[in-house]
Amino acid sequence: MIITSLLIYQFRNLDRISWEPHPRANLLLGLNAQGKTNILEALFLLGTTKTLRNGSTVEDLIQLDKEEALIRTQVLHQDNGLSRDLELQLRRPSQKSYLLNSKKLSPLSKIFGQLALVLFTPEDLDLIKAGPQARRLFLDLEISQASQTYLKDLGRYHRALKQRNAALRRLNEGGGLDAVHAFDEDLIASGCAVVRFRREAVAQLEPLAREALGRLGQGRERLGLRYLGTLDASPDDAPTDAEDASLEHRFRLRLRLRAKEERARGGTLSGPHRDDLEVTLNGRPARLYASQGQQRSLALALKLAEVQYLQARLGEPPVLLLDDVLSELDLERQGELLRLLDERVQTFVTSTHARDLAYRPGLVLRVHQGRLEPET
């Protein structure tokens, strides 16, 4: 996928930005708090419906004295040569509309996959040592962009989980167990579907990430990925039909065995919302035993594997967004990262300076007080 035009209007501190990005390498320079990250956030929001700052509302995204904001792109699909117009309209108080070729997309989840993106921020360098929630989000965003079915199963699971947890909390106020069990089967069916998708994705990611780590100069190190499921008896093994059936059986059993504890804590304690992706280095948990430098190389390998995973599933590479990441890496790791990218991958890189970067941009622009200016 290649973004051939971009318009951002009254979004965050960006008053009006209109430009035609380079099909390969775009470098956005500027001091902190000038709007570089806001440009990447606009693209990320358009492609995934997600903001970069937890808890951001439509009100936060629109400039304070304005009533609306707009993000519009034209995306060229390399697999078939077709171009599509994607647009996000934001209006106060809380209106958000996604359009594909001027036609409204409903539900909003249909936007996933229209503009596939891989985002890499300095926070992602902590992906290995962060908590399980960060790694679950990594898997969910990756798979959702490649599969609408997964996105639907994940949404269905979270709805059932939210309703079941509410029913559990009402038990202390005189609610009945029937209200809790009413959501069990929907929770089990959608939850097992989510687990199967994730396990399959992890199996596909592992050789890609292992190869990337080797090419990042860590040839003697062996990366491993293991899906740690609260329902899995053998998380290493790919599921067979028989194991799928037993997975549902184990989910029911776990709900029954932990029923007393769930009533006491007011929440569901088993299921994919509590699972983790374990990253190992030479057979040992990287979170505990890898050095900081090794953890960074592992995080890079995972992101590169994500690019390859999406390219294989979609038939064309995603757009890569690197938000001030290169400056966090030494020149050797920068060079290896950039050499590993497919030459067809369009990249958007932000940085406070161009010196000491291995990146060779096709287009350089400076971001100053929310405006784009040619670099002189």
Side-chain angles (χ1 to χ4, degrees):
M1 297 182 183
I2 294 175
I3 296 171
T4 57
S5 68
L6 174 62
L7 171 65
I8 305 174
Y9 179 63
Q10 298 179 170
F11 177 83
R12 297 284 195 191
N13 79 323
L14 307 174
D15 187 38
R16 181 183 175 86
I17 284 179
S18 179
W19 60 304
E20 296 181 356
H22 190 274
R24 297 293 177 264
N26 298 270
L27 178 59
L28 301 174
L29 296 175
L31 299 176
N32 292 327
Q34 298 301 303
K36 304 186 306 295
T37 297
N38 291 341
I39 293 175
L40 299 194
E41 181 179 33
L43 290 172
F44 192 67
L45 179 63
L46 182 59
T48 68
T49 75
K50 308 294 183 183
T51 65
L52 299 188
R53 305 169 201 178
N54 291 333
S56 292
T57 65
V58 170
E59 300 282 329
D60 299 324
L61 301 175
I62 302 172
Q63 290 185 352
L64 285 177
D65 57 341
K66 309 297 182 183
E67 293 298 316
E68 62 182 8
L70 176 71
I71 305 166
R72 180 188 297 150
T73 66
Q74 186 174 63
V75 180
L76 173 64
H77 292 268
Q78 295 159 273
D79 58 338
N80 55 24
L82 296 178
S83 289
R84 294 179 177 176
D85 294 320
L86 291 179
E87 185 174 319
L88 170 58
Q89 299 173 350
L90 301 170
R91 291 189 177 90
R92 297 185 189 277
S94 300
Q95 188 176 347
K96 184 190 299 184
S97 300
Y98 285 87
L99 290 83
L100 173 63
N101 293 334
S102 302
K103 294 183 178 180
K104 190 172 182 179
L105 284 173
S106 182
L108 294 185
S109 60
K110 287 188 176 181
I111 194 67
F112 276 79
Q114 302 294 341
L115 173 57
L117 301 161
V118 173
L119 171 69
F120 199 7
T121 72
E123 289 74 23
D124 289 320
L125 291 170
D126 294 329
L127 183 63
I128 307 303
K129 65 181 180 182
Q133 183 177 0
R135 289 181 289 277
R136 286 194 298 268
L137 180 61
F138 166 76
L139 285 176
D140 288 341
L141 279 178
E142 173 191 33
I143 306 171
S144 294
Q145 293 188 86
S147 173
Q148 279 284 318
T149 302
Y150 178 77
L151 192 59
K152 291 176 183 177
D153 288 332
L154 186 65
R156 180 181 163 201
Y157 177 76
H158 282 298
R159 285 191 296 273
L161 178 67
K162 182 178 180 180
Q163 292 168 321
R164 189 176 188 272
N165 286 344
L168 280 167
R169 290 191 293 270
R170 286 195 295 269
L171 289 177
N172 296 327
E173 304 168 2
L177 282 174
D178 288 346
V180 175
H181 297 321
F183 303 105
D184 285 359
E185 289 307 308
D186 204 19
L187 187 83
I188 291 168
S190 58
C192 289
V194 167
V195 169
R196 293 181 199 117
F197 266 107
R198 287 181 180 174
R199 287 168 66 172
E200 180 183 3
V202 170
Q204 294 172 359
L205 276 173
E206 185 178 46
L208 299 174
R210 184 175 295 162
E211 179 185 5
L213 183 67
R215 294 174 64 186
L216 281 168
Q218 305 290 327
R220 296 182 180 180
E221 312 287 1
R222 184 172 177 82
L223 177 150
L225 297 179
R226 184 170 63 168
Y227 187 73
L228 298 180
T230 53
L231 311 176
D232 293 342
S234 52
D236 306 49
D237 301 329
T240 64
D241 291 343
E243 287 172 334
D244 285 348
S246 65
L247 184 63
E248 295 183 357
H249 170 74
R250 288 198 298 273
F251 204 165
R252 290 191 186 90
L253 182 61
R254 292 271 174 33
L255 293 178
R256 187 161 64 247
L257 291 176
R258 305 197 71 177
K260 184 176 181 180
E261 188 180 359
E262 286 185 342
R263 288 196 295 271
R265 296 175 62 175
T268 303
L269 301 179
S270 301
H273 66 291
R274 296 179 69 88
D275 293 352
D276 195 2
L277 172 65
E278 183 183 52
V279 183
T280 63
L281 187 65
N282 301 325
R284 307 173 78 185
R287 181 175 59 86
L288 301 176
Y289 295 101
S291 67
Q292 183 175 0
Q294 287 172 324
Q295 289 182 355
R296 289 190 164 198
S297 291
L298 290 167
L300 282 171
L302 285 179
K303 286 294 180 175
L304 288 167
E306 183 181 3
V307 172
Q308 291 180 278
Y309 172 88
L310 288 173
Q311 182 169 341
R313 296 296 297 268
L314 299 174
E316 58 181 336
V319 174
L320 180 61
L321 310 177
L322 300 174
D323 186 24
D324 204 23
V325 170
L326 294 184
S327 60
E328 297 285 327
L329 304 172
D330 57 41
L331 280 174
E332 182 179 357
R333 282 196 176 90
Q334 285 184 39
E336 293 294 345
L337 168 63
L338 297 170
R339 279 192 290 273
L340 284 173
L341 291 175
D342 187 298
E343 64 179 10
R344 298 184 302 154
V345 177
Q346 186 183 37
T347 57
F348 292 80
V349 173
T350 68
S351 180
T352 56
H353 55 80
R355 65 184 183 277
D356 298 329
L357 292 183
Y359 191 62
R360 295 294 177 263
L363 179 64
V364 182
L365 292 172
R366 183 162 293 276
V367 184
H368 178 67
Q369 295 182 353
R371 295 182 176 87
L372 278 184
E373 302 171 354
E375 175 65 2
T376 56

